[in-house]
Amino acid sequence: MKEILRISDLAVSYGHIEAVKGIDLVLNEGEITALVGANGAGKSTALLAISGLLKPVRGQVLFDGIDLTRLPPHKIVRSGVVQVAEGRAILTTLTVAENLDLGSYARRDKTRTAQDLEWVYSLFPVLKQRAAGLAGNLSGGEQQMLAIARALMAKPRILLLDEPSMGLAPLIVQEIFRILKEINLTGLTILLVEQNVRQALRIAQRGYVLETGKVVLADSGANLLHNPKVIEAYLGA
Ligand code: ATP
């Protein structure tokens, strides 16, 4: 397995509150890695530090030999590490197609961009049907799909997702996880932050469990699903 990103001793604070307390985490190329844990465990904070939106107090995020903690967010996106924002963050007054255009604005490879648009529309046929409609008129699940699709248009090498299942009905959640697996099968590396522990570990090759800012368990997704501690704390069995 080829390592694509390595986080070492990452610590992030909000004032005096240390939300992430020195975590180590490795992403293997082409795998889905799930970062799971309860509300407030520090998952979102860790993701924001990887995408450069929060500056860590210590630690490294090594990607392609570069420490991402030294780069501003737009350079991190350009390097290929792209986050799908929590709460969707699509532009509701623009059309679906315009939102997708925005995702690819920094790209110069227009032919590949057009091919990727077709690919994204094949992953999310509903977005093709609604391409000319306002993004604000989409349902919650469709808006989440658009947020993922827009991130894909930036041609990521690593896709970061923060709680894509949040606030969505179970059937839509299943559909989104199915599509994430499909995207992963094209070779894209994914870091998936989730409170929906069962669904996340089902599609992830590897998982990390975060509790109060620390990694308490790291194993394959399948092993974590059967780990008694995980079952007791997160799977309600
Ligand atoms: P959630 O699923 O609720 O987003 P999480 O695991 O992603 O949970 P974080 O949002 O990273 O957890 O929060 C980690 C800790 O940092 C929590 O104790 C939270 O209260 C605190 N925290 C988060 N954001 C801020 C902020 N802007 N200012 C101060 N403290 C914060």
Side-chain angles (χ1 to χ4, degrees), residues 74-140:
H74 70 277
K75 288 204 173 153
I76 293 176
V77 171
R78 212 178 294 153
S79 79
V81 178
V82 178
Q83 177 162 358
V84 177
E86 187 175 18
R88 336 265 187 254
I90 57 157
L91 297 170
T92 52
T93 58
L94 297 183
T95 67
V96 168
E98 285 165 344
N99 268 276
L100 293 174
D101 265 356
L102 278 178
S104 63
Y105 82 100
R107 292 176 60 177
R108 306 241 154 71
D109 52 341
K110 294 301 168 203
T111 312
R112 278 299 308 273
T113 304
Q115 286 169 0
D116 283 350
L117 185 62
E118 283 314 307
W119 172 58
V120 158
Y121 278 148
S122 72
L123 284 171
F124 302 103
V126 67
L127 297 182
K128 186 165 188 176
Q129 286 159 23
R130 319 266 316 246
L134 288 183
N137 291 337
L138 297 177
S139 69

Side-chain angles (χ1 to χ4, degrees), residues 25-61:
L25 188 152
V26 169
L27 300 188
N28 289 322
E29 189 157 28
E31 287 191 351
I32 297 180
T33 300
L35 181 58
V36 300
N39 213 333
K43 307 178 300 295
S44 301
T45 303
L47 216 53
L48 290 168
I50 299 169
S51 47
L53 297 167
L54 284 175
K55 281 288 154 213
V57 290
R58 64 170 196 278
Q60 278 193 327
V61 178

Side-chain angles (χ1 to χ4, degrees), residues 122-126 141 145 148 169-182 199:
S122 72
L123 284 171
F124 302 103
V126 67
M145 291 176 190
I148 296 169
L171 273 177
I172 314 275
V173 172
Q174 271 187 26
E175 175 68 358
I176 286 188
F177 278 76
R178 185 190 65 71
I179 295 168
L180 287 179
K181 190 71 205 172
E182 197 176 327
Q199 297 266 19

